[in-house]
Every structure is written in C-alpha cells, then in structure tokens.
Amino acid sequence: MGLQAIFFYLFAFIAVASAFMVISAKNPVHSVLFLILVFFNAAGLFLLTGAEFLAMILLVVYIGAVAVLFLFVVMMLDIDFAELRSGVLQYAPIGILVGLIVAAELVVVVGGSVLTPGAAKAITMPIPNPASRTNTAALGDVLYTNYVYFFQIAGLVLLVAMIGAIVLTLRHRTNIKRQDISRQVARTPATAVEVVKVKPGQGV
Amino acid sequence: MDSFFSIYVWPGIVMVAQSLLLLVCLLVFIAYVLLADRKIWAAVQLRRGPNVVGPFGLFQSFADLLKFVFKEPIIPAGANKAVFLLAPLVAVLLALSTWAVVPLADGWVIANINVGILYIFAISSLEVYGIIMGGWASNSKYPFLGALRSAAQMVSYEVSIGFVIVTVLLCVGSLNLTDIVNAQHDGLGTMMGLPASFLDWHWLALFPMFVVFFISALAETNRPPFDLPEAESELVAGFMVEYGSSPYMMFMLGEYAAVCLMCALTTILFLGGWLPPVDIWILNWVPGIVWFMLKSMLVFFMFAMVKAFVPRYRYDQLMRLGWKIFLPLSLAMVVITAFVLKLMGWA
C-alpha cells in the first residue's frame, strides 16, 4: 500500500482514459499516440505487480518497435478523415460484438479466481519466491527448459513471416547504381588512373 | 496521522529531493558538456570557440539558455499544435528520466532496480518519439523527412546496441547496473596478474563490442558523423526546422542528456564505472564519483573528437554499417561469448 496504491490508480486511470481516446480521437496519428500512452501505463502496472521484466519488454517491443511502425504507417497514409468517420455506424455492431466477447471472457476469468481462490495454487510448476530470485532469471529458466520447443517454434514462425515480407516486397531493379565498398577499397592507382602526356594544341 | 506521514509524505519527499538533486547537478553538467563540445570542436579547427561570456566563455551556455527562454516561441500555422509542443517535452523528459537508474558511485543511485539496463534500453528506444512527433507535427517537408530518417536510424542501431548489452550481460549474469560494475573487479587483468586494475574491465575482454557500442551510441544519439536527421546540407535542420526558442532548446537539452547518458553507459558497461584504474591505496582513496566522472568525460571527449574529425555518412552507408556489419558482428559475438563462457566454465 502507500504510494503504490496512488500510482496504481494513476496508471489505471490514465490507461483507461487514453484507451477510450484511442477509439474516439479524430486524427489517426493522435490515436496511435494515445495507444502508446496505454502501453506505457500498462508497463507501469506490470511494474507495480513486481513483473519488472515484462514491463520492460512491453516498453522495448511494443512501444519501441511495434508502435513506431504503426506510427510510420499512419503518418505516411493519406487519410481522408471524413470518409473514415462515415463507416462508423456500419461497423459498430461488429465492434460491440467483439467488445461483448472480451467482456464475457474477462468475467469468466475474474469470476473463476474469485469463486475458487485455490485455483492459482493448483499450477503444477512451483512459483519461486520473488525475494530469492529475480523474475528475469525465473522466466529464463522456464522458457529455455520446459518450453524450449515452443520458444523455438515461435522464433521459426517469426522468421518465416520475415522472409515472407521480404519476398513480397523485394524487387530487383537492373539500372540502378550501388556502392560496392570492397571494390572501391581494392582500387589502386594502376587500375584507376591513367597519366597522359598531352601535347599543346592537340588534346588527348 | 503519523503513519500517513511515514507512508505517503516522507517517501515522497525523499524521492523528490533525490531526483531534484540529481537533475540540478545533471543540468549544470550538461551546460558545461555543451560548452566543452563547442570548445573541442573549435580547438580542432584552430578557432577560439565561445570566449566572450564570463572567463574563457564559461557562462556561454547560461547566456544561451536565457536567450532561448526569452525568445518568442513560434508555432507554424499548419502545425498540429498539441503534438508540436509535446514533442520537445517528450524528448527531454525521456532523456532525463533514464538517469534515475544510473549508479554514479557505489550505492549512489536513485532506483537500484533489477532490470536497470533494460530500463535504460527501453527508455532510450522511446526517445525516437520526440523526433517523430516533432517531424510530423511541423507539417512541413524537411522536418518530416528528417523524422523518417531518424526513426529508421535509431531503430536500426538499437538492434546492435541490444546485442552488445546482451554480450555484457552474459559475462555479468545480472541486469542490475551496480552488479555490472562490481563484476568488473576481476576479469582478464586478474588472470594476467594485475588484479582489480583497468585490464579487468570489459573493454579489453569484449573489445570488438566496445567499438560497436561506441559507434552505435553515436548513431543512436544522432551525433556526427551520423547526424543525418538534422543534416544541414540536405534537410536544413531536419526535424527541428520549425522549432525556435524554448522548444528548440528542449530538443538540444534532450539530445545532450542522451549523449551524457551514453557516455555514462559506456563507462558502466565497459570502463568499470566507479572502480579505480589500478589497485593502489591512493587511487582507492579517491571517491568513486570522481572516477565515474573522469571516465565519462573521457568518453565524451571521444564523442566530441569524432564530431570534429569525421565527415558525415551518407544514408545508405549508415544503413549498410548498421545492418550488414554491426548486426552480424554483434550477433556472432553473442554466440562466441556464450560458448567461451560455457566451455571455460566461467559462467
């Protein structure tokens, strides 16, 4: 308790308020900026629960990389704001449906842990004492031993996605000039310069 | 009432006081780092540099501060006002907030968190937002191009910085910055018969990574020769074209705070932080903060000399260096370091 409670309410309030602004902001770039604020406050909440590694990874991956790409794409698009607004009512039912599903899932999860508080203790992996080891080490131990295959598969999936994106966008253009540094460095005066004695009035 | 005081008020006061002390010292330090940067640059070019305000121009930075503060801030008509003003604020706040976890001497740290190095890495990866927001909100061509360049550049070099940090972490086995410094008490130097000396620090054992980190730090902070986001010959001043007075000053402040942080980080990761260079009593008697400052200033001197010596990179050369040279090199070094540590039984 103490200052932690104050910070919890601060982070939670800003997160919820800016999540609302993500969907209600008129300008899409503002939406992405509010989304970044949501991520940031979520990282703060992680930090308060003691999940410091997750908090920092959220910052590095989601804000430092994913949201930068988001922002890039949204900034580069030439968006007609009026046209963007016109479809709101048309898509509203789907949005409400998705919202309802997420709300129902949250109720199930939270209700489950409220009704049977012992459920969390039934997890087969022993939860290490947070005072004796950092959660970075604990996560690493689990990830690289019990779940090493899943970890590798996730890596492979990402690799395939990366190769796919490269294959889709790579174009080999023929008539462009590229710098070949090893060739430049390998040049010697003998191959690059020709000394010519020019007689006056004759030219080369 | 008493418990209210001990739970809420006292920790709050302590936190605010520590942060204020660090901030004031840091800002004064940055003022002189800025001056040193200009003086070194001038000396290399056989000029005098700022020498009018105060003895040897020592008060130049404060005169500049007053000038910027009293100027009228101009916001372009087509600019997105809120984001335009938020951008320099984001830049300077993020750059200053990283200092919360930097240990200046043994135990001299505001937040001694377990994931200190990750915190610094995370916050410095956010610094790109100040630049992107500024470039976009200016609603003008050059700032936007500068912002795009800068974002691509900072994201690229973060990758190799990340791998360099991983290499150091492999040798240390902890993400805590204090642990990283303390781990440099023994190392190569101890094996070579000079225990607790400058040979123990990581710069020798991980020399290629030291070089990669130094160059990536230049690129990450948009310092010359990688100052393409503000290349005056191509983009006027890049993302800062439309900025003047206090907002411009805040961008500059954020930039120099980030540069100082990179100097401090190089000191912590590779130059043994506050540890004295040789284990003799007179050097051990010198307070750790002095060693830390001396080493950081040495690194900054190298930053300033690079700025004065090296011509600016072209954009494709910058990307080539980041992706085709540093990334494979640092990736290979992570694997090699891990193997060496495991096979020699040092980990």
Side-chain angles (χ1 to χ4, degrees):
Chain A
M1 280 304 280
L3 283 178
Q4 281 200 338
I6 296 176
F7 278 111
F8 171 77
Y9 287 114
L10 183 75
F11 286 140
F13 175 75
I14 297 178
V16 173
S18 44
F20 179 74
M21 288 305 291
V22 172
I23 51 171
S24 61
K26 284 209 171 65
N27 190 329
V29 173
H30 291 175
S31 286
V32 178
L33 291 177
F34 277 116
L35 185 68
I36 292 161
L37 199 57
V38 175
F39 285 148
F40 203 85
N41 285 287
L45 290 176
F46 267 133
L47 214 54
L48 285 183
T49 59
E52 61 217 8
F53 185 74
L54 283 182
M56 293 308 149
I57 290 299
L58 188 73
L59 282 186
V60 173
V61 175
Y62 277 89
I63 312 185
V66 174
V68 171
L69 290 181
F70 263 30
L71 201 57
F72 250 134
V73 172
V74 172
M75 269 169 24
M76 305 283 267
L77 289 177
D78 186 21
I79 297 170
D80 185 357
F81 298 130
E83 197 183 329
L84 208 66
R85 291 278 118 190
S86 66
V88 166
L89 280 180
Q90 195 185 340
Y91 296 120
I94 303 173
I96 291 171
L97 185 69
V98 171
L100 279 178
I101 292 173
V102 172
E105 284 174 348
L106 276 179
V107 167
V108 170
V109 170
V110 175
S113 72
V114 169
L115 289 178
T116 53
K121 294 194 182 74
I123 298 170
T124 47
M125 286 296 290
I127 297 171
N129 179 16
S132 64
R133 59 188 321 203
T134 65
N135 59 44
T136 315
L139 268 176
D141 271 353
V142 176
L143 204 59
Y144 292 108
T145 53
N146 296 36
Y147 298 104
V148 66
Y149 295 118
F150 299 98
F151 183 71
Q152 293 290 341
I153 290 169
L156 274 181
V157 170
L158 286 176
L159 181 68
V160 170
M162 192 181 85
I163 294 173
I166 293 173
V167 168
L168 285 176
T169 52
L170 186 68
R171 285 180 300 154
H172 283 290
R173 285 180 295 174
T174 47
N175 54 350
I176 52 169
K177 286 184 177 168
R178 285 185 197 281
Q179 185 181 23
D180 188 350
I181 291 196
S182 54
R183 236 180 71 197
Q184 287 181 340
V185 172
R187 266 157 61 110
T188 59
T191 58
V193 185
E194 187 189 357
V195 182
V196 186
K197 275 239 178 337
V198 184
K199 279 183 183 153
Q202 286 187 345
V204 183
Chain B
M1 193 61 206
D2 199 33
S3 67
F4 174 80
F5 184 80
S6 66
I7 292 176
Y8 292 96
V9 182
W10 184 243
I13 290 176
V14 170
M15 262 198 295
V16 170
Q18 283 178 331
S19 311
L20 271 183
L21 181 69
L22 180 75
L23 272 185
V24 170
C25 294
L26 185 66
L27 290 177
V28 172
F29 193 70
I30 286 175
Y32 283 101
V33 158
L34 232 160
L35 181 71
D37 198 21
R38 296 170 68 177
K39 279 284 195 188
I40 294 169
W41 202 6
V44 171
Q45 297 175 343
L46 300 180
R47 292 184 285 117
R48 282 177 192 277
N51 63 348
V52 174
V53 190
F56 309 107
L58 279 178
F59 302 140
Q60 179 65 44
S61 299
F62 301 101
D64 287 343
L65 172 80
L66 289 180
K67 186 189 81 175
F68 281 129
V69 168
F70 289 122
K71 260 184 167 178
E72 181 193 0
I74 295 171
I75 301 172
N80 197 316
K81 200 170 173 185
V83 181
F84 185 82
L85 290 177
L86 200 62
L89 214 65
V90 166
V92 75
L93 280 182
L94 287 174
L96 291 177
S97 64
T98 38
W99 281 87
V101 299
V102 175
L104 301 172
D106 203 1
W108 288 29
V109 49
I110 291 178
N112 190 15
I113 59 176
N114 285 330
V115 288
I117 189 74
L118 262 184
Y119 172 81
I120 287 185
F121 186 62
I123 299 292
S124 59
S125 73
L126 301 191
E127 272 162 26
V128 67
Y129 282 111
I131 292 175
I132 302 186
M133 283 162 72
W136 175 79
S138 300
N139 197 11
S140 155
K141 287 185 203 71
Y142 289 139
F144 191 62
L145 285 173
L148 290 184
R149 276 186 175 190
S150 162
Q153 170 180 341
M154 289 171 91
V155 170
S156 310
Y157 279 83
E158 249 157 45
V159 181
S160 49
I161 285 193
F163 280 120
V164 173
I165 290 176
V166 169
T167 328
V168 175
L169 296 184
L170 279 175
C171 299
V172 176
S174 166
L175 276 72
N176 185 309
L177 289 168
T178 308
D179 289 349
I180 291 176
V181 173
N182 284 331
Q184 299 179 55
H185 265 303
D186 54 359
L188 274 187
T190 310
M191 289 173 205
M192 292 193 291
L194 200 58
S197 71
F198 64 99
L199 295 175
D200 282 323
W201 305 340
H202 285 143
W203 69 270
L204 187 60
L206 300 170
F207 189 74
M209 293 290 94
F210 178 50
V211 176
V212 169
F213 186 84
F214 181 73
I215 299 176
S216 301
L218 291 174
E220 178 76 7
T221 50
N222 293 329
R223 286 281 292 187
F226 306 112
D227 59 340
L228 290 156
E230 44 198 287
E232 69 272 7
S233 53
E234 308 158 18
L235 297 178
V236 191
F239 62 94
M240 293 194 275
V241 169
E242 306 289 350
Y243 283 91
S245 75
S246 308
Y248 173 80
M249 184 198 68
M250 284 162 88
F251 266 129
M252 289 299 285
L253 189 61
E255 204 167 281
Y256 274 87
V259 169
C260 289
L261 180 86
M262 278 300 170
C263 295
L265 204 56
T266 316
T267 309
I268 289 169
L269 290 178
F270 293 101
L271 298 179
W274 58 82
L275 302 175
V278 185
D279 188 20
I280 52 177
W281 67 271
I282 192 156
L283 294 185
N284 289 338
W285 175 78
V286 173
I289 179 86
V290 175
W291 289 122
F292 186 85
M293 300 266 278
L294 278 177
K295 290 173 188 175
S296 302
M297 283 191 273
L298 175 77
V299 179
F300 181 76
F301 181 70
M302 295 206 291
F303 266 63
M305 288 303 264
V306 168
K307 177 178 181 170
F309 284 163
V310 186
R312 182 178 292 134
Y313 262 53
R314 218 172 50 211
Y315 194 68
D316 61 313
Q317 292 171 330
L318 172 91
M319 284 293 154
R320 175 180 171 275
L321 187 69
W323 289 108
K324 291 187 178 172
I325 298 176
F326 282 177
L327 181 61
L329 183 69
S330 49
L331 200 56
M333 275 300 284
V334 169
V335 178
I336 292 170
T337 312
F339 266 97
V340 167
L341 288 175
K342 186 72 189 168
L343 294 178
M344 303 293 277
W346 290 338

